[in-house]
């Protein structure tokens, strides 16, 4: 490694203060998303006096890195002081004027650091990244001003992502409100006005399932021509678009399941596990492969894909989609229930007017979604750039 | 829409499993493999017998058909009438079929010293299986074509059954069937072409079978290899005997099933090759005062009672001949244990025994997902020329060196849940190892980050005699190789487009709100 690289051990020291007088009750844990999260452990009868106290500005990490999604759980506490399980190691930066803690956290946030931590972890059942290994980490310790600048740049991008996200949430809510104002009441009519009808979903589009990976085929992390849409890729925003979280399949696997792909503007619904997640396929995922845990609604006619999307969101909001599920161990939304879902078809003129009114919402939400993705790319690039 | 159901091919293992499953209720599931494998043995031995008999008749005529010597010379068991499969099948529907099977097995064992103690004794009569169930099982076994030597039928059946029960049974007992790809890797590394091969904890004999296959595959002579083994669990010991007998491999597994530490069956053995997968991290393997002066620990500290790992290592070291090589698996913890273990490890390194430490990927075993270490110890790391399977190999002096390898990123998915080391993976590992061992290695071997590193004694000493490969093998930070400029430029143009679009769309949005009657003032 390069000469600006310094040993982390020279800048940090372990901290071990126990919650002896039970002063703190804020119990947190550290996630693989590298942040503190509320603990979900069953704490009935737990003695919290042996828990470790983490103060604001200190770090905590879980030394066991095996069976942890190939990641190390490590985070910097930004909120108020908390307690965590004593299995975590807590430490702090001693020379804060030379190494900025937030800059250090950026270094830990790199996917390459996960790989490094896994590589240097050792043991049989539990593979451990111990304190000595943490101290042996080498990182570029730049001039402190430069570090702070990088942190600030990163934060500016994060803020913009959050802003765009909030903007999108609001736009989505507004659009939904407009849809409901115009159409929701028709579902309670006994006699529909002329020109309106309620029909089964399968008379408006083709509904098709996705496909499981063939035995012995696996998902790849390195991009190929064929992204594979999983349930976790659906429902984050209206548009399902290509992100760096995607996994791929190779040409050979693709040839086996090539009939199960999606086209731009298809609507995808998750049917197993987390049910009823909805998304519209962005053109960056045209011809991507679809998991067996989702169905796609394609060849939409008579109504527009956007109208259909809003209708499904409404159905989800009134819990109709959840009600349609069956399954004992794992809930499942059967194909038949999707096919027979009742959809209001308004007269063509009203449909066109709605589509036009919604156009600006649709484009803006799409643009924001894409910008958010690009901003994430930019952040990742900034992180990678730290090694330079 | 009704679809034509594809006809699914039922594999032999599956068919056997299904018929064994019929025994449910009358036999403990853990017993299935014994029930099936003994019948299987009978069928196999019988088929071989018939084949031999036919060839004897063809060559020498009818009158030698029952001359036992003509069978034993080719490692085939001579079977009297009541032990033959054809006889058993003809009696399958009889009420006393269980007794007939027992008699058949007993007769084979009595007439063949190699099988002494290997076959179950009055097993079927005592099981009290429903005759019809037994008959259908016999029927299923009868369908198996044992001629298929290519595919190692008995191994497959055994593996399948063990796999099926691995979770329920293997784990509790701490028995781990060593996956074929690991045994192959060990064989390919230590190349047991001729001499004595020993496994101090041989289980069902899988290591032996695989290494004999290795010798045959490389057109070596399997008669040049003599096999010694020991196994503690009695039922497994029997399986091993059957397993080897069926394949015509003669082996010395000791007088009986016995503990390698307290009742060593091969006290003065010096083996040229040792392959083993000993039980990991055995606690309380000896009492505090037991085995203190055992000659196997000579020159080393006494391995602690808390963990048998180093007991196994020293047992292996003590049994290596002058040029002996050992390849065995151990828990990763053994690479970096402190205390007594550290002292023993340091001594092993100072005695120039440790040749290669290879860390294997997770999920290779049926019953556990842990990653394990493959150790190769070599008694003679000096420069020498050795004849191996007809070719002369020129070894260089590697006394003060250790080769570390990390295979954690290798392997391909296998049966969904598991990983296996493919032939290419193993070829890469063995080629690296053999290149490193031999003269001219400056040309043929090089350290590769995240894969291999040749460490000197001084480096190992400096790191406190830890043998953890990732402490030596270099890690590459892939971020350093990212083309920042290109990526940044493409993001620059994309974001520019987005921001321009945003301006326009913002104006449109304000217009929409105004039209809806909720104009936004900025």
């Amino acid at each position: 490694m390069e000469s600006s690289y310094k040993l982390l051990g020279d800048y940090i020291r372990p901290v071990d203060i126990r919650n002896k007088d039970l002063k703190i009750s804020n119990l947190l844990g550290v996630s693989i998303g590298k942040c503190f999260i509320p603990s979900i452990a069953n704490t009935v009868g737990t003695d919290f006096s042996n828990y470790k106290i983490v103060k604001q500005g200190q770090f905590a990490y879980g030394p066991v890195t095996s069976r942890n999604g190939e990641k190390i759980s490590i985070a910097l506490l930004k909120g108020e002081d908390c307690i965590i399980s004593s299995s975590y190691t807590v430490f702090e930066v001693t020379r804060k004027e030379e190494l900025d803690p937030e800059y250090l956290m950026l270094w830990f946030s790199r996917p390459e650091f996960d790989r490094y931590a896994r590589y240097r972890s050792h043991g049989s059942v539990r593979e451990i990244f111990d304190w000595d290994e943490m101290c042996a980490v080498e990182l570029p310790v730049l001039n402190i001003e430069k570090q702070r600048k990088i942190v600030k740049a990163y934060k500016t991008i994060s803020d913009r992502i959050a802003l765009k996200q909030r903007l999108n949430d609001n736009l989505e809510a507004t659009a939904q409100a407009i849809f409901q104002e115009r159409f929701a009441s028709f579902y309670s009519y006994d006699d529909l006005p002329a020109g309106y009808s309620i029909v089964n979903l399968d008379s408006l589009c083709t509904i098709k399932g996705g496909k499981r990976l063939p035995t012995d085929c696996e998902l790849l992390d390195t991009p190929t021509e064929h992204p594979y849409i999983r349930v976790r890729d659906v429902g984050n925003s209206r548009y399902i678009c290509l992100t760096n979280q995607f996994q791929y399949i190779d040409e050979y696997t693709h040839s086996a399941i090539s009939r199960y792909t999606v086209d731009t503007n298809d609507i995808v619904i998750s049917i197993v596990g987390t049910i009823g997640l909805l998304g519209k396929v962005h053109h960056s995922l045209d011809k991507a492969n679809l998991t067996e845990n989702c169905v796609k609604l394609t060849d939409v006619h008579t109504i527009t894909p956007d109208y259909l999307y809003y209708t499904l969101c409404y159905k989800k909001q009134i819990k109709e989609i959840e009600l349609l599920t069956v399954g004992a161990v794992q809930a499942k939304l059967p194909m038949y229930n999707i096919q027979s879902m009742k959809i209001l078809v308004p007269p063509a003129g009203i449909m066109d007017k709605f589509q036009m009114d919604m156009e600006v919402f649709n484009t803006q939400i799409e643009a924001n979604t894409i910008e958010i993705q690009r901003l994430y790319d930019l952040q990742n690039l900034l992180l990678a750039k730290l090694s330079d | 829409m009704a679809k034509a159901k594809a006809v699914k091919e039922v594999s032999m293992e599956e068919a056997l499993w299904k018929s064994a499953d019929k025994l449910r209720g009358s036999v403990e599931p853990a017993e299935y493999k014994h029930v099936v494998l003994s019948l299987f043995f009978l069928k196999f031995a019988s088929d071989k017998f018939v084949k031999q008999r036919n060839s004897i008749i063809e060559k020498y005529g009818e009158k030698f058909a029952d001359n036992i010597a003509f069978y034993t010379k080719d490692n085939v068991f001579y079977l009297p009438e009541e032990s033959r499969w054809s006889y058993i099948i003809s009696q399958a529907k009889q009420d006393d079929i269980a007794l007939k099977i027992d008699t058949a097995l007993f007769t084979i064992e009595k007439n063949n010293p190699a099988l002494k103690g290997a076959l179950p004794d009055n097993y079927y009569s005592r099981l009290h299986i429903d005759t019809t169930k037994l008959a259908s099982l016999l029927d299923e076994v009868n369908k198996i074509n044992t001629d298929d030597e290519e595919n190692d039928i008995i191994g497959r059946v055994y593996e399948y059954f063990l796999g099926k029960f691995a979770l329920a049974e293997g784990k509790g007992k701490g028995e781990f069937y060593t996956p074929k790809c690991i045994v192959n890797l060990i064989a390919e590394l230590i190349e047991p072409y001729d001499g004595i091969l020993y496994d101090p904890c041989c289980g069902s004999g899988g290591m032996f079978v695989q290494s004999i296959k290795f010798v045959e595959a490389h057109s070596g002579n399997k008669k040049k290899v003599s096999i010694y083994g020991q196994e503690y669990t009695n039922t497994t010991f029997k399986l091993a005997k059957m397993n080897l007998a069926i394949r015509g491999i003669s082996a010395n597994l000791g007088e009986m099933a016995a503990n390698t530490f307290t009742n060593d069956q091969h006290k003065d053995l010096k083996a040229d090759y040792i392959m083993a997968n000993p039980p990991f991290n055995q606690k309380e393997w000896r009492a505090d005062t037991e085995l203190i002066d055992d000659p196997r620990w000579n020159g080393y500290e006494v391995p602690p009672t808390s963990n048998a790992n180093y007991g196994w290592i020293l047992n292996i070291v003590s049994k290596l001949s002058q040029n002996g090589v050992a390849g065995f698996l151990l828990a990763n913890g053994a690479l970096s244990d402190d205390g007594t273990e550290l002292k023993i490890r340091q001594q092993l390194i100072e005695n120039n025994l440790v040749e290669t430490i290879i860390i294997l990927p997770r999920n290779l075993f049926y019953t556990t997902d842990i990653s394990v270490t493959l150790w190769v110890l070599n008694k003679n790391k000096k420069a020498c020329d050795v004849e191996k399977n007809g070719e002369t190999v020129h070894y260089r002096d590697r006394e003060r060196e250790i080769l570390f390898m990390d295979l954690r990123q290798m392997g391909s998915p296998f049966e969904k849940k598991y990983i296996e080391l493919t032939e290419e993976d193993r070829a890469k590992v063995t080629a690296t190892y053999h290149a490193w061992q031999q003269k001219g290695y400056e040309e043929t071997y090089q350290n590769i980050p995240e894969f291999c590193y040749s460490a000197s004694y001084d480096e190992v000493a400096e790191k406190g005699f830890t043998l953890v490969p990732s402490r030596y093998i270099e890690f590459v930070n892939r971020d350093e190789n990212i083309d920042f400029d290109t990526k940044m430029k493409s993001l620059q143009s994309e974001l520019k487009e987005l921001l321009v679009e945003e301006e326009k769309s913002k104006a449109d949005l304000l217009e929409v709100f105004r039209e809806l009657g909720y104009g936004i003032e900025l």
Side-chain angles (χ1 to χ4, degrees):
Chain A
M1 290 189 187
E2 292 169 34
S3 58
S4 68
Y5 277 67
K6 301 271 166 54
L7 269 183
L8 180 58
D10 293 339
Y11 296 87
I12 55 174
R13 68 161 169 243
V15 181
D16 188 356
I17 303 168
R18 302 297 169 116
N19 191 26
K20 283 213 183 72
D21 43 11
L22 298 172
K23 248 193 208 150
I24 298 175
S25 60
N26 179 23
L27 175 64
L28 299 179
V30 180
S31 81
I32 56 171
K34 302 211 165 55
C35 53
F36 281 89
I37 50 167
S39 171
I40 51 162
N42 181 353
T43 55
V44 176
T46 307
D47 174 13
F48 288 115
S49 67
N50 200 30
Y51 274 49
K52 287 182 180 171
I53 295 177
V54 190
K55 291 220 159 75
Q56 199 173 41
Q58 292 178 338
F59 290 85
Y61 80 96
V64 180
T65 63
S66 50
R67 298 167 179 159
N68 202 36
E70 294 300 304
K71 286 181 165 64
I72 180 167
S73 299
I74 183 165
L76 167 64
L77 186 64
K78 291 185 178 164
E80 59 184 79
D81 299 358
C82 71
I83 49 171
I84 55 169
S85 151
S86 57
S87 65
Y88 289 103
T89 304
V90 182
F91 67 95
E92 64 184 4
V93 175
T94 49
R95 294 151 66 181
K96 290 201 174 90
E97 282 313 306
E98 290 167 66
L99 178 63
D100 186 75
E102 291 196 49
Y103 172 80
L104 176 58
M105 190 58 222
L106 289 187
W107 181 258
F108 291 146
S109 305
R110 297 154 49 248
E112 272 301 275
F113 184 75
D114 285 318
R115 225 170 60 76
Y116 175 82
R118 283 296 296 139
Y119 182 77
R120 297 294 292 254
S121 294
H122 174 66
S124 288
V125 181
R126 292 183 301 157
E127 293 172 20
I128 308 250
F129 188 73
D130 62 21
W131 179 248
D132 288 343
E133 287 292 352
M134 183 57 89
C135 290
V137 167
E138 290 180 49
L139 79 169
V141 178
L142 313 167
N143 170 299
I144 189 78
E145 287 310 320
K146 233 175 159 179
Q147 291 178 33
R148 287 178 184 151
K149 249 184 167 163
I150 293 171
V151 170
K152 189 157 172 266
Y154 192 87
K155 199 165 170 303
T156 307
I157 304 170
S158 299
D159 289 349
R160 174 135 181 119
I161 291 174
L163 176 73
K164 287 270 146 180
Q165 197 62 60
R166 282 211 309 280
L167 212 53
N168 254 5
D169 293 347
N170 280 320
L171 288 169
E172 194 72 58
T174 312
Q176 284 297 328
I178 293 170
F179 172 84
Q180 286 180 32
E181 199 245 334
R182 291 197 192 168
F183 300 110
S185 55
F186 287 96
Y187 283 100
S188 50
Y189 280 20
D190 286 334
D191 288 311
L192 288 169
Y196 287 86
S197 57
I198 288 185
V199 301
N200 281 351
L201 178 58
D202 63 353
S203 66
L204 298 170
C205 61
T206 309
I207 305 169
K208 268 187 172 165
K211 189 70 179 171
R212 181 192 297 275
L213 283 188
T215 324
D216 290 351
C217 290
E218 59 176 340
L219 290 169
L220 313 168
D221 289 322
T222 42
T224 67
E225 291 287 300
H226 310 290
Y228 186 84
I229 302 175
R230 296 160 297 167
V231 172
R232 52 174 293 184
D233 301 314
V234 181
N236 306 317
S237 73
R238 178 193 300 191
Y239 292 91
I240 310 170
C241 60
L242 190 62
T243 70
N244 53 20
Q245 304 293 318
F246 261 77
Q247 288 190 302
Y248 301 81
I249 52 175
D250 58 26
E251 200 57 51
Y252 169 76
T253 313
H254 177 72
S255 65
I257 58 175
S258 60
R259 286 189 298 133
Y260 302 88
T261 56
V262 294
D263 295 311
T264 308
N265 284 335
D266 283 356
I267 289 173
V268 171
I269 308 177
S270 66
I271 55 166
V272 176
T274 320
I275 286 175
L277 295 173
L278 291 169
K280 214 175 128 201
V281 176
H282 183 256
H283 65 75
S284 57
L285 283 174
D286 195 35
K287 302 281 177 263
N289 288 83
L290 185 65
T291 162
E292 78 277 14
N293 295 329
C294 287
V295 292
K296 62 168 181 180
L297 313 184
T298 189
D299 301 329
V300 183
H301 53 84
T302 319
I303 56 172
T304 63
D306 286 309
Y307 175 82
L308 180 56
Y309 174 79
Y310 287 115
T311 307
L312 292 171
C313 286
Y314 171 64
K315 295 262 166 190
K316 186 171 163 58
Q317 195 188 329
I318 60 170
K319 305 275 180 221
E320 204 177 306
I321 290 185
E322 273 88 347
L323 289 178
L324 291 172
T325 57
V326 297
V329 180
Q330 200 179 19
K332 191 175 159 77
L333 182 56
M335 185 67 105
Y336 172 77
N337 291 358
I338 304 175
Q339 288 164 345
S340 57
M341 205 183 285
K342 301 290 180 221
I343 306 289
L344 174 82
V345 180
I350 292 181
M351 170 79 65
D352 290 349
K353 173 82 171 61
F354 177 73
Q355 182 69 31
M356 280 189 301
D357 288 350
M358 290 294 106
E359 200 56 39
V360 63
F361 289 94
N362 299 341
T363 43
Q364 185 135 25
I365 290 172
E366 178 179 349
N368 284 341
T369 310
I370 300 305
E371 186 178 333
I372 289 171
Q373 278 325 311
R374 292 297 88 80
L375 292 172
Y376 275 128
D377 292 348
L378 185 59
Q379 272 190 331
N380 287 329
L381 200 53
L382 263 187
L383 290 182
K385 174 80 172 142
L386 293 181
S387 305
D388 255 15
Chain B
M1 198 167 56
K3 271 185 198 161
K5 252 207 170 130
V7 181
K8 203 183 161 204
E9 278 274 314
V10 178
S11 71
M12 173 201 73
E13 292 100 324
E14 232 172 301
L16 259 183
W17 170 255
K18 284 209 178 113
S19 54
D21 207 30
K22 290 191 187 131
L23 303 174
R24 193 146 65 168
S26 39
V27 181
E28 285 282 322
E31 290 279 310
Y32 291 179
K33 66 169 183 279
H34 299 297
V35 178
V36 174
L37 286 173
S38 301
L39 290 181
F40 200 72
F41 173 78
L42 209 51
K43 165 95 163 89
F44 208 102
S46 202
D47 285 356
K48 278 208 158 169
F49 164 77
V50 171
K51 209 169 156 194
Q52 185 79 358
R53 187 183 178 87
N54 289 342
S55 88
I56 291 171
I57 293 174
E58 199 177 299
K59 273 191 209 154
Y60 311 107
E62 196 76 48
K63 66 175 177 174
F64 290 102
D66 288 306
N67 189 328
I68 297 175
F70 280 96
Y71 293 88
T72 43
K73 79 176 171 61
D74 287 329
N75 264 331
V76 174
F77 302 120
Y78 174 77
L79 306 182
E81 180 64 29
E82 74 263 32
S83 296
R84 292 175 200 166
W85 184 253
S86 48
Y87 173 76
I88 297 288
I89 283 295
S90 69
Q91 304 289 314
K93 305 283 189 293
Q94 302 291 317
D95 273 348
D96 62 346
I97 181 64
L99 192 66
K100 290 210 160 93
I101 297 172
D102 282 333
T103 314
L105 290 168
F106 175 76
T107 317
I108 299 181
E109 184 174 323
K110 196 180 67 184
N111 291 340
N112 295 283
L115 288 171
K116 191 170 165 255
L119 300 181
D121 177 22
N122 265 334
Y123 181 69
Y124 291 87
S125 323
R126 271 183 291 155
L127 281 174
H128 299 296
I129 309 174
D130 188 24
T131 321
T132 53
K133 286 182 178 172
L134 195 51
S136 71
L137 179 60
L138 283 169
D139 219 30
E140 209 55 63
V141 175
N142 194 36
K143 286 183 200 155
I144 298 170
N145 173 16
T146 58
D147 243 4
D148 190 2
E149 294 211 356
E150 277 288 292
N151 283 321
D152 181 19
I153 304 245
I154 195 153
R156 267 173 60 191
V157 172
Y158 183 72
E159 224 173 307
Y160 181 80
F161 273 59
L162 204 73
K164 274 274 180 190
F165 292 115
L167 271 176
E169 192 190 15
K171 212 171 198 171
K173 280 189 178 171
E175 260 183 44
F176 296 106
Y177 187 80
T178 319
K180 210 163 58 189
C181 67
I182 302 187
V183 184
N184 281 340
L185 177 62
I186 302 180
E188 284 154 12
L189 288 170
I190 71 174
E191 303 180 305
Y193 287 118
D194 51 48
I196 294 175
L197 173 64
Y198 168 64
D199 182 346
C201 33
C202 65
S204 56
M207 292 270 190
F208 300 138
V209 173
Q210 220 54 43
S211 21
I212 291 298
K213 273 199 207 154
F214 169 81
V215 172
E216 284 171 342
H218 293 77
S219 37
N221 183 355
K222 71 174 180 183
K223 295 211 165 106
K224 281 190 184 167
V225 184
S226 20
I227 286 171
Y228 289 80
Q230 179 157 0
E231 170 56 38
Y232 179 59
T233 312
N234 196 31
T235 49
T236 316
F237 175 76
K238 288 185 172 186
L239 279 177
K241 282 207 147 186
M242 262 196 268
N243 195 3
L244 295 172
I246 248 175
R247 298 162 202 267
I249 300 171
S250 51
N252 178 348
L253 301 184
E255 284 297 304
M256 54 186 160
N259 182 323
T260 307
F261 291 121
T262 54
N263 188 2
D264 190 354
Q265 298 286 305
H266 306 291
K267 276 207 166 70
D268 300 315
L269 183 73
K270 288 290 173 198
D272 303 300
Y273 305 98
I274 299 180
M275 297 169 79
N277 177 13
F280 294 171
N281 303 324
Q282 250 176 318
K283 291 187 188 76
E284 312 298 330
W285 58 283
R286 63 173 179 90
D288 272 341
T289 51
E290 207 181 358
L291 292 170
I292 302 284
D293 308 318
D294 197 282
R296 283 173 286 187
W297 327 141
N298 273 353
Y300 298 90
E301 302 266 327
V302 180
T305 55
S306 58
N307 195 320
N309 287 349
Y310 278 80
W312 287 109
I313 297 180
L314 291 184
N315 175 64
I316 287 170
V317 168
S318 72
K319 296 226 183 310
L320 279 177
S321 69
Q322 269 318 304
N323 295 312
V325 193
F328 56 90
L329 302 177
L330 268 187
N332 288 345
L335 298 174
S336 57
D337 287 332
D338 289 331
T340 317
E341 276 107 338
L342 172 61
K343 285 182 196 153
I344 301 176
R345 189 167 62 242
Q346 178 172 351
Q347 197 61 53
L348 289 168
I349 296 169
E350 277 168 4
N351 292 352
N352 296 321
L353 285 164
V354 183
E355 173 139 88
T356 300
I357 298 291
I358 303 174
I359 197 152
L360 301 177
R362 292 179 85 97
N363 291 320
L364 279 170
F365 288 83
Y366 276 119
T367 39
T368 171
D369 72 340
I370 64 172
S371 142
V372 304
T373 318
L374 166 55
W375 293 55
V376 178
L377 302 184
N378 195 339
K379 209 59 187 288
N380 180 8
K381 288 167 76 184
K382 291 192 179 72
C384 59
D385 296 342
V386 177
E387 182 147 321
K388 284 245 167 187
N389 205 23
E391 276 174 50
T392 311
V393 182
H394 307 281
Y395 289 106
R396 68 186 182 92
D397 178 29
R398 357 176 252 293
E399 288 224 295
R400 307 300 272 175
E401 283 171 51
I402 297 175
L403 176 66
F404 290 98
M405 284 197 248
D406 187 339
L407 314 190
R408 287 180 299 175
Q409 297 175 29
M410 281 189 176
S412 309
F414 164 65
E415 287 180 9
K416 288 225 150 140
K417 265 167 77 186
Y418 310 108
I419 293 280
E420 70 171 351
L421 292 169
T422 61
E423 214 170 320
E424 294 101 80
D425 290 335
R426 300 198 312 266
K428 183 178 170 195
V429 175
T430 34
T432 308
Y433 170 66
H434 290 144
W436 174 84
Q437 281 184 314
Q438 293 171 26
K439 283 185 179 144
Y441 85 115
E442 301 88 346
E443 300 293 320
T444 52
Y445 169 85
Q446 62 178 21
N447 294 333
I448 300 172
E450 297 182 30
F451 174 57
C452 65
Y453 185 81
S454 171
S456 69
Y457 171 84
D458 294 339
E459 284 173 274
V460 177
E462 194 206 338
K463 293 206 195 280
F465 297 98
T466 172
L467 289 177
V468 177
S470 62
R471 295 297 301 271
Y472 300 92
I473 308 171
E474 196 199 335
F475 176 83
V476 211
N477 182 352
R478 293 182 192 159
D479 283 349
E480 286 174 6
N481 304 322
I482 282 183
D483 184 354
F484 185 71
D485 193 48
T486 316
K487 293 208 166 177
M488 207 62 205
K489 276 187 177 140
S490 97
L491 274 177
Q492 182 187 27
S493 72
E494 281 184 64
L495 273 172
K496 185 184 163 189
E497 242 172 71
L498 284 166
L499 292 174
V500 169
E501 237 177 82
E502 188 192 26
E503 281 300 314
K504 187 181 165 297
S505 132
K506 190 167 143 194
D508 293 348
L509 185 69
L510 290 175
E511 177 65 18
V512 168
F513 269 85
R514 200 181 54 77
E515 275 177 16
L516 290 167
Y518 297 91
I520 297 172
E521 292 299 324
L522 287 178

